[in-house]
Short mmCIF file of all heavy atoms in Angstrom, two decimals:
data_model
loop_
_atom_site.label_atom_id
_atom_site.label_comp_id
_atom_site.label_asym_id
_atom_site.label_seq_id
_atom_site.Cartn_x
_atom_site.Cartn_y
_atom_site.Cartn_z
N MET V 1 58.08 119.98 103.84
CA MET V 1 58.11 119.46 105.19
C MET V 1 57.60 120.52 106.15
O MET V 1 56.62 121.16 105.90
CB MET V 1 59.53 119.02 105.54
CG MET V 1 60.06 117.91 104.66
SD MET V 1 60.54 116.41 105.50
CE MET V 1 61.57 116.91 106.80
N SER V 2 58.30 120.73 107.22
CA SER V 2 57.85 121.67 108.25
C SER V 2 58.29 123.08 107.90
O SER V 2 59.36 123.30 107.35
CB SER V 2 58.42 121.25 109.60
OG SER V 2 58.04 122.18 110.57
N GLU V 3 57.46 124.06 108.24
CA GLU V 3 57.77 125.45 107.98
C GLU V 3 58.37 126.12 109.21
O GLU V 3 58.43 127.33 109.29
CB GLU V 3 56.50 126.19 107.59
CG GLU V 3 55.81 125.62 106.39
CD GLU V 3 54.46 126.25 106.18
OE1 GLU V 3 54.09 127.15 106.93
OE2 GLU V 3 53.78 125.83 105.25
N ARG V 4 58.79 125.37 110.19
CA ARG V 4 59.28 125.94 111.44
C ARG V 4 60.63 126.62 111.25
O ARG V 4 61.48 126.14 110.50
CB ARG V 4 59.39 124.87 112.51
CG ARG V 4 58.05 124.33 112.88
CD ARG V 4 58.17 123.34 113.97
NE ARG V 4 56.85 122.78 114.20
CZ ARG V 4 56.33 122.58 115.38
NH1 ARG V 4 57.03 122.82 116.44
NH2 ARG V 4 55.14 122.09 115.52
N ALA V 5 60.81 127.70 111.98
CA ALA V 5 62.09 128.40 111.95
C ALA V 5 63.13 127.55 112.66
O ALA V 5 62.83 126.92 113.67
CB ALA V 5 61.96 129.76 112.63
N PRO V 6 64.36 127.50 112.16
CA PRO V 6 65.34 126.61 112.76
C PRO V 6 65.76 127.00 114.18
O PRO V 6 66.16 126.17 114.95
CB PRO V 6 66.53 126.69 111.80
CG PRO V 6 66.34 127.97 111.06
CD PRO V 6 64.87 128.22 111.01
N HIS V 7 65.67 128.29 114.55
CA HIS V 7 66.15 128.73 115.85
C HIS V 7 65.07 128.71 116.93
O HIS V 7 65.36 128.45 118.08
CB HIS V 7 66.74 130.14 115.75
CG HIS V 7 67.91 130.20 114.83
ND1 HIS V 7 69.11 129.57 115.10
CD2 HIS V 7 68.07 130.79 113.63
CE1 HIS V 7 69.95 129.79 114.11
NE2 HIS V 7 69.35 130.52 113.19
N THR V 8 63.83 129.00 116.57
CA THR V 8 62.78 129.11 117.58
C THR V 8 61.96 127.85 117.71
O THR V 8 61.39 127.60 118.76
CB THR V 8 61.84 130.27 117.27
OG1 THR V 8 61.21 130.01 116.01
CG2 THR V 8 62.59 131.59 117.21
N GLY V 9 61.84 127.08 116.64
CA GLY V 9 61.03 125.88 116.69
C GLY V 9 59.55 126.16 116.53
O GLY V 9 58.74 125.28 116.72
N ARG V 10 59.18 127.39 116.20
CA ARG V 10 57.77 127.74 116.02
C ARG V 10 57.53 128.24 114.61
O ARG V 10 58.41 128.82 113.98
CB ARG V 10 57.38 128.82 117.02
CG ARG V 10 57.41 128.28 118.43
CD ARG V 10 56.85 129.25 119.38
NE ARG V 10 55.69 129.93 118.83
CZ ARG V 10 54.97 130.77 119.51
NH1 ARG V 10 55.26 131.04 120.75
NH2 ARG V 10 53.94 131.36 118.98
N ARG V 11 56.33 128.04 114.12
CA ARG V 11 56.01 128.44 112.75
C ARG V 11 55.95 129.96 112.57
O ARG V 11 56.27 130.48 111.52
CB ARG V 11 54.67 127.85 112.33
CG ARG V 11 54.73 126.37 112.19
CD ARG V 11 53.39 125.84 111.82
NE ARG V 11 53.45 124.39 111.86
CZ ARG V 11 52.86 123.62 111.01
NH1 ARG V 11 52.13 124.11 110.07
NH2 ARG V 11 52.98 122.32 111.10
N ASP V 12 55.48 130.68 113.59
CA ASP V 12 55.32 132.12 113.43
C ASP V 12 56.61 132.89 113.68
O ASP V 12 56.64 134.10 113.55
CB ASP V 12 54.22 132.65 114.36
CG ASP V 12 54.48 132.31 115.81
OD1 ASP V 12 55.52 131.70 116.12
OD2 ASP V 12 53.65 132.65 116.64
N GLY V 13 57.68 132.21 114.09
CA GLY V 13 58.96 132.85 114.26
C GLY V 13 59.15 133.54 115.60
O GLY V 13 60.21 134.07 115.86
N LEU V 14 58.11 133.60 116.44
CA LEU V 14 58.25 134.21 117.76
C LEU V 14 58.96 133.25 118.70
O LEU V 14 58.82 132.05 118.59
CB LEU V 14 56.88 134.56 118.34
CG LEU V 14 56.10 135.63 117.61
CD1 LEU V 14 54.73 135.78 118.23
CD2 LEU V 14 56.83 136.95 117.65
N SER V 15 59.71 133.79 119.62
CA SER V 15 60.40 132.96 120.59
C SER V 15 59.40 132.45 121.62
O SER V 15 58.57 133.21 122.12
CB SER V 15 61.50 133.76 121.28
OG SER V 15 62.05 133.01 122.33
N ALA V 16 59.48 131.19 121.96
CA ALA V 16 58.58 130.62 122.96
C ALA V 16 58.96 131.06 124.37
O ALA V 16 58.13 131.06 125.27
CB ALA V 16 58.61 129.10 122.87
N ASP V 17 60.20 131.49 124.57
CA ASP V 17 60.66 131.90 125.89
C ASP V 17 60.38 133.37 126.18
O ASP V 17 60.11 133.76 127.31
CB ASP V 17 62.15 131.64 126.04
CG ASP V 17 62.47 130.17 125.95
OD1 ASP V 17 61.62 129.36 126.33
OD2 ASP V 17 63.57 129.84 125.48
N HIS V 18 60.47 134.22 125.16
CA HIS V 18 60.31 135.66 125.35
C HIS V 18 59.27 136.20 124.38
O HIS V 18 59.62 136.63 123.29
CB HIS V 18 61.65 136.37 125.13
CG HIS V 18 62.75 135.83 125.98
ND1 HIS V 18 62.81 136.04 127.32
CD2 HIS V 18 63.81 135.05 125.68
CE1 HIS V 18 63.87 135.44 127.82
NE2 HIS V 18 64.50 134.81 126.84
N PRO V 19 57.98 136.20 124.75
CA PRO V 19 56.97 136.73 123.84
C PRO V 19 57.08 138.25 123.71
O PRO V 19 57.48 138.94 124.65
CB PRO V 19 55.66 136.32 124.49
CG PRO V 19 55.98 136.15 125.93
CD PRO V 19 57.41 135.69 125.98
N ALA V 20 56.74 138.74 122.56
CA ALA V 20 56.75 140.18 122.34
C ALA V 20 55.65 140.82 123.19
O ALA V 20 54.58 140.25 123.36
CB ALA V 20 56.53 140.47 120.86
N PRO V 21 55.88 142.02 123.72
CA PRO V 21 54.88 142.62 124.62
C PRO V 21 53.57 142.97 123.92
O PRO V 21 52.52 142.94 124.54
CB PRO V 21 55.58 143.87 125.14
CG PRO V 21 56.71 144.14 124.23
CD PRO V 21 57.08 142.83 123.60
N ASN V 22 53.61 143.29 122.63
CA ASN V 22 52.38 143.67 121.92
C ASN V 22 51.69 142.49 121.28
O ASN V 22 50.57 142.61 120.82
CB ASN V 22 52.70 144.71 120.85
CG ASN V 22 53.20 146.00 121.46
OD1 ASN V 22 52.89 146.30 122.61
ND2 ASN V 22 53.98 146.75 120.71
N HIS V 23 52.35 141.35 121.21
CA HIS V 23 51.78 140.18 120.57
C HIS V 23 51.70 139.05 121.58
O HIS V 23 52.72 138.48 121.96
CB HIS V 23 52.63 139.73 119.39
CG HIS V 23 52.84 140.79 118.34
ND1 HIS V 23 52.04 141.88 118.21
CD2 HIS V 23 53.77 140.92 117.38
CE1 HIS V 23 52.46 142.63 117.21
NE2 HIS V 23 53.51 142.07 116.70
N PRO V 24 50.49 138.71 122.04
CA PRO V 24 50.39 137.59 122.98
C PRO V 24 50.79 136.28 122.31
O PRO V 24 50.63 136.11 121.10
CB PRO V 24 48.93 137.58 123.39
CG PRO V 24 48.21 138.30 122.31
CD PRO V 24 49.19 139.28 121.73
N ASP V 25 51.33 135.40 123.07
CA ASP V 25 51.81 134.12 122.56
C ASP V 25 50.61 133.25 122.18
O ASP V 25 49.82 132.87 123.04
CB ASP V 25 52.66 133.45 123.63
CG ASP V 25 53.32 132.19 123.13
OD1 ASP V 25 53.24 131.92 121.91
OD2 ASP V 25 53.92 131.48 123.94
N PRO V 26 50.44 132.91 120.90
CA PRO V 26 49.27 132.10 120.50
C PRO V 26 49.36 130.65 120.94
O PRO V 26 48.37 129.94 120.89
CB PRO V 26 49.28 132.20 118.97
CG PRO V 26 50.70 132.46 118.63
CD PRO V 26 51.27 133.28 119.77
N ALA V 27 50.53 130.19 121.38
CA ALA V 27 50.67 128.79 121.77
C ALA V 27 50.29 128.56 123.23
O ALA V 27 50.26 127.43 123.68
CB ALA V 27 52.11 128.33 121.54
N ARG V 28 49.99 129.60 123.97
CA ARG V 28 49.63 129.43 125.39
C ARG V 28 48.22 128.85 125.48
O ARG V 28 47.31 129.30 124.81
CB ARG V 28 49.70 130.75 126.12
CG ARG V 28 51.13 131.24 126.23
CD ARG V 28 51.20 132.40 127.14
NE ARG V 28 50.66 132.01 128.43
CZ ARG V 28 51.06 132.48 129.58
NH1 ARG V 28 52.02 133.35 129.61
NH2 ARG V 28 50.51 132.11 130.70
N MET V 29 48.07 127.87 126.36
CA MET V 29 46.77 127.20 126.48
C MET V 29 46.18 127.36 127.88
O MET V 29 45.33 126.60 128.28
CB MET V 29 46.93 125.70 126.17
CG MET V 29 47.36 125.43 124.75
SD MET V 29 46.14 125.93 123.56
CE MET V 29 44.90 124.70 123.83
N ASP V 30 46.64 128.34 128.65
CA ASP V 30 46.16 128.45 130.01
C ASP V 30 44.86 129.23 130.13
O ASP V 30 44.20 129.18 131.16
CB ASP V 30 47.22 129.06 130.92
CG ASP V 30 47.69 130.42 130.43
OD1 ASP V 30 47.35 130.79 129.31
OD2 ASP V 30 48.40 131.10 131.19
N ARG V 31 44.44 129.94 129.09
CA ARG V 31 43.21 130.72 129.16
C ARG V 31 42.28 130.40 128.00
O ARG V 31 41.72 131.30 127.38
CB ARG V 31 43.53 132.21 129.15
CG ARG V 31 44.24 132.64 130.39
CD ARG V 31 44.45 134.12 130.42
NE ARG V 31 45.21 134.48 131.61
CZ ARG V 31 45.83 135.61 131.78
NH1 ARG V 31 45.78 136.51 130.84
NH2 ARG V 31 46.49 135.85 132.88
N VAL V 32 42.08 129.14 127.72
CA VAL V 32 41.19 128.74 126.65
C VAL V 32 39.78 128.65 127.20
O VAL V 32 39.53 127.94 128.18
CB VAL V 32 41.62 127.37 126.06
CG1 VAL V 32 40.62 126.90 125.03
CG2 VAL V 32 43.00 127.49 125.46
N VAL V 33 38.85 129.37 126.60
CA VAL V 33 37.46 129.36 127.05
C VAL V 33 36.75 128.20 126.36
O VAL V 33 36.67 128.14 125.14
CB VAL V 33 36.78 130.69 126.70
CG1 VAL V 33 35.33 130.68 127.14
CG2 VAL V 33 37.52 131.85 127.35
N LEU V 34 36.27 127.26 127.15
CA LEU V 34 35.57 126.10 126.61
C LEU V 34 34.07 126.29 126.74
O LEU V 34 33.60 126.91 127.69
CB LEU V 34 35.99 124.84 127.37
CG LEU V 34 37.47 124.48 127.28
CD1 LEU V 34 37.77 123.29 128.18
CD2 LEU V 34 37.84 124.16 125.86
N PRO V 35 33.30 125.78 125.78
CA PRO V 35 31.84 125.88 125.91
C PRO V 35 31.35 125.02 127.06
O PRO V 35 31.87 123.94 127.32
CB PRO V 35 31.33 125.35 124.56
CG PRO V 35 32.44 124.53 124.03
CD PRO V 35 33.71 125.10 124.56
N ARG V 36 30.36 125.51 127.76
CA ARG V 36 29.81 124.78 128.90
C ARG V 36 28.40 124.32 128.58
O ARG V 36 27.66 125.00 127.88
CB ARG V 36 29.79 125.68 130.12
CG ARG V 36 31.17 126.11 130.51
CD ARG V 36 31.29 126.09 131.98
NE ARG V 36 32.67 126.36 132.34
CZ ARG V 36 33.32 125.64 133.20
NH1 ARG V 36 32.77 124.63 133.78
NH2 ARG V 36 34.56 125.93 133.50
N LEU V 37 28.05 123.16 129.11
CA LEU V 37 26.71 122.61 128.93
C LEU V 37 26.05 122.55 130.30
O LEU V 37 26.69 122.19 131.29
CB LEU V 37 26.81 121.21 128.32
CG LEU V 37 25.50 120.50 127.99
CD1 LEU V 37 24.70 121.29 126.97
CD2 LEU V 37 25.79 119.11 127.44
N ASN V 38 24.79 122.91 130.34
CA ASN V 38 24.02 122.84 131.57
C ASN V 38 24.07 121.40 132.09
O ASN V 38 23.96 120.45 131.32
CB ASN V 38 22.58 123.25 131.26
CG ASN V 38 21.77 123.51 132.49
OD1 ASN V 38 22.18 123.17 133.60
ND2 ASN V 38 20.61 124.11 132.30
N PRO V 39 24.22 121.18 133.40
CA PRO V 39 24.37 119.81 133.90
C PRO V 39 23.15 118.93 133.68
O PRO V 39 23.28 117.72 133.53
CB PRO V 39 24.64 119.98 135.39
CG PRO V 39 24.59 121.42 135.69
CD PRO V 39 24.44 122.17 134.44
N TRP V 40 21.95 119.50 133.65
CA TRP V 40 20.75 118.67 133.48
C TRP V 40 20.66 118.06 132.08
O TRP V 40 20.40 116.87 131.95
CB TRP V 40 19.50 119.46 133.83
CG TRP V 40 19.46 119.76 135.30
CD1 TRP V 40 19.62 120.96 135.89
CD2 TRP V 40 19.29 118.80 136.36
NE1 TRP V 40 19.56 120.82 137.25
CE2 TRP V 40 19.36 119.52 137.57
CE3 TRP V 40 19.11 117.43 136.39
CZ2 TRP V 40 19.23 118.89 138.80
CZ3 TRP V 40 18.98 116.82 137.62
CH2 TRP V 40 19.04 117.53 138.80
N PRO V 41 20.84 118.83 131.00
CA PRO V 41 20.85 118.18 129.68
C PRO V 41 22.02 117.20 129.52
O PRO V 41 21.88 116.17 128.87
CB PRO V 41 20.99 119.33 128.69
CG PRO V 41 20.52 120.53 129.41
CD PRO V 41 20.83 120.30 130.85
N ALA V 42 23.16 117.52 130.14
CA ALA V 42 24.30 116.59 130.06
C ALA V 42 23.96 115.28 130.76
O ALA V 42 24.27 114.19 130.25
CB ALA V 42 25.53 117.23 130.69
N LEU V 43 23.30 115.36 131.90
CA LEU V 43 22.88 114.16 132.61
C LEU V 43 21.85 113.37 131.80
O LEU V 43 21.92 112.14 131.72
CB LEU V 43 22.31 114.53 133.98
CG LEU V 43 21.91 113.38 134.89
CD1 LEU V 43 23.13 112.54 135.24
CD2 LEU V 43 21.27 113.92 136.15
N LEU V 44 20.92 114.07 131.18
CA LEU V 44 19.92 113.41 130.34
C LEU V 44 20.58 112.70 129.16
O LEU V 44 20.22 111.56 128.84
CB LEU V 44 18.91 114.44 129.84
CG LEU V 44 17.81 113.92 128.93
CD1 LEU V 44 16.90 112.95 129.67
CD2 LEU V 44 17.02 115.06 128.34
N ILE V 45 21.55 113.33 128.55
CA ILE V 45 22.26 112.71 127.43
C ILE V 45 22.98 111.45 127.89
O ILE V 45 22.95 110.41 127.22
CB ILE V 45 23.24 113.72 126.80
CG1 ILE V 45 22.47 114.81 126.06
CG2 ILE V 45 24.21 113.04 125.86
CD1 ILE V 45 23.32 115.98 125.62
N LEU V 46 23.62 111.51 129.05
CA LEU V 46 24.33 110.34 129.57
C LEU V 46 23.36 109.20 129.90
O LEU V 46 23.65 108.02 129.62
CB LEU V 46 25.14 110.71 130.80
CG LEU V 46 26.38 111.56 130.54
CD1 LEU V 46 27.01 111.98 131.86
CD2 LEU V 46 27.36 110.80 129.69
N VAL V 47 22.20 109.52 130.46
CA VAL V 47 21.21 108.48 130.78
C VAL V 47 20.69 107.85 129.50
O VAL V 47 20.56 106.61 129.40
CB VAL V 47 20.06 109.07 131.63
CG1 VAL V 47 18.89 108.12 131.73
CG2 VAL V 47 20.58 109.42 133.02
N LEU V 48 20.38 108.66 128.50
CA LEU V 48 19.89 108.11 127.23
C LEU V 48 20.96 107.26 126.54
O LEU V 48 20.63 106.22 125.95
CB LEU V 48 19.43 109.25 126.31
CG LEU V 48 18.16 109.97 126.76
CD1 LEU V 48 17.87 111.13 125.81
CD2 LEU V 48 16.98 109.01 126.83
N LEU V 49 22.20 107.68 126.61
CA LEU V 49 23.27 106.85 126.05
C LEU V 49 23.39 105.53 126.79
O LEU V 49 23.66 104.49 126.18
CB LEU V 49 24.60 107.61 126.09
CG LEU V 49 24.79 108.70 125.05
CD1 LEU V 49 26.07 109.48 125.32
CD2 LEU V 49 24.80 108.13 123.65
N GLY V 50 23.19 105.55 128.10
CA GLY V 50 23.23 104.32 128.88
C GLY V 50 22.12 103.36 128.48
O GLY V 50 22.35 102.16 128.31
N PHE V 51 20.90 103.89 128.33
CA PHE V 51 19.79 103.04 127.89
C PHE V 51 20.02 102.51 126.48
O PHE V 51 19.68 101.37 126.16
CB PHE V 51 18.46 103.78 127.96
CG PHE V 51 17.88 103.85 129.34
CD1 PHE V 51 17.59 105.06 129.92
CD2 PHE V 51 17.63 102.69 130.06
CE1 PHE V 51 17.05 105.14 131.20
CE2 PHE V 51 17.09 102.74 131.33
CZ PHE V 51 16.81 103.96 131.90
N GLY V 52 20.60 103.34 125.61
CA GLY V 52 20.91 102.88 124.26
C GLY V 52 21.96 101.78 124.26
O GLY V 52 21.86 100.82 123.49
N TYR V 53 22.93 101.89 125.14
CA TYR V 53 23.97 100.86 125.27
C TYR V 53 23.36 99.55 125.75
O TYR V 53 23.64 98.48 125.19
CB TYR V 53 25.03 101.36 126.24
CG TYR V 53 26.19 100.41 126.42
CD1 TYR V 53 27.17 100.30 125.45
CD2 TYR V 53 26.31 99.64 127.58
CE1 TYR V 53 28.24 99.45 125.62
CE2 TYR V 53 27.38 98.79 127.75
CZ TYR V 53 28.34 98.70 126.76
OH TYR V 53 29.39 97.84 126.93
N ILE V 54 22.48 99.63 126.72
CA ILE V 54 21.81 98.41 127.23
C ILE V 54 20.91 97.82 126.15
O ILE V 54 20.88 96.61 125.94
CB ILE V 54 21.02 98.74 128.50
CG1 ILE V 54 21.98 99.09 129.64
CG2 ILE V 54 20.11 97.58 128.89
CD1 ILE V 54 21.29 99.64 130.86
N GLY V 55 20.19 98.69 125.42
CA GLY V 55 19.33 98.20 124.34
C GLY V 55 20.12 97.56 123.21
O GLY V 55 19.67 96.57 122.62
N LEU V 56 21.29 98.12 122.92
CA LEU V 56 22.12 97.52 121.87
C LEU V 56 22.56 96.13 122.25
O LEU V 56 22.48 95.19 121.45
CB LEU V 56 23.35 98.42 121.62
CG LEU V 56 24.36 97.89 120.62
CD1 LEU V 56 23.78 97.92 119.21
CD2 LEU V 56 25.63 98.68 120.70
N TRP V 57 23.01 95.93 123.50
CA TRP V 57 23.42 94.61 123.94
C TRP V 57 22.23 93.65 124.01
O TRP V 57 22.37 92.46 123.75
CB TRP V 57 24.13 94.68 125.29
CG TRP V 57 25.57 95.04 125.14
CD1 TRP V 57 26.15 96.21 125.43
CD2 TRP V 57 26.59 94.20 124.57
NE1 TRP V 57 27.49 96.17 125.12
CE2 TRP V 57 27.79 94.95 124.60
CE3 TRP V 57 26.63 92.92 124.07
CZ2 TRP V 57 29.00 94.43 124.15
CZ3 TRP V 57 27.83 92.41 123.61
CH2 TRP V 57 28.99 93.15 123.64
N ASN V 58 21.07 94.18 124.34
CA ASN V 58 19.87 93.35 124.36
C ASN V 58 19.58 92.80 122.98
O ASN V 58 19.24 91.62 122.81
CB ASN V 58 18.69 94.17 124.91
CG ASN V 58 17.49 93.30 125.20
OD1 ASN V 58 17.59 92.10 125.32
ND2 ASN V 58 16.34 93.95 125.31
N ARG V 59 19.71 93.63 121.95
CA ARG V 59 19.47 93.17 120.57
C ARG V 59 20.55 92.20 120.13
O ARG V 59 20.28 91.20 119.46
CB ARG V 59 19.46 94.34 119.62
CG ARG V 59 18.15 95.03 119.57
CD ARG V 59 18.16 96.04 118.48
NE ARG V 59 16.95 96.81 118.59
CZ ARG V 59 16.21 97.14 117.56
NH1 ARG V 59 16.59 96.81 116.36
NH2 ARG V 59 15.10 97.79 117.75
N LEU V 60 21.82 92.52 120.46
CA LEU V 60 22.92 91.67 120.01
C LEU V 60 22.87 90.28 120.65
O LEU V 60 23.24 89.28 120.02
CB LEU V 60 24.25 92.33 120.30
CG LEU V 60 24.59 93.55 119.47
CD1 LEU V 60 25.90 94.18 119.94
CD2 LEU V 60 24.70 93.18 118.00
N LEU V 61 22.42 90.22 121.89
CA LEU V 61 22.37 88.93 122.57
C LEU V 61 21.05 88.21 122.35
O LEU V 61 20.86 87.10 122.85
CB LEU V 61 22.61 89.12 124.07
CG LEU V 61 24.01 89.65 124.41
CD1 LEU V 61 24.11 89.91 125.92
CD2 LEU V 61 25.07 88.68 123.97
N GLY V 62 20.14 88.83 121.61
CA GLY V 62 18.89 88.17 121.27
C GLY V 62 17.90 88.04 122.42
O GLY V 62 17.14 87.11 122.49
N GLY V 63 17.91 89.02 123.31
CA GLY V 63 17.03 88.96 124.47
C GLY V 63 15.72 89.49 124.14
O GLY V 63 14.64 89.36 124.41
#
């Protein structure tokens, strides 16, 4: 079943309330670096998906 420690509720055994000073808490999600995409290619992808969606309905409806 679960490998969680019975007292802390975490798998690594560290307390969620009091992280060790030398070990940053791996469960924190406030500083996650996400990949960014240039807005122009993202816009192009969205436009192409829109045309593909319209084309799909055109084929399905026999237009």
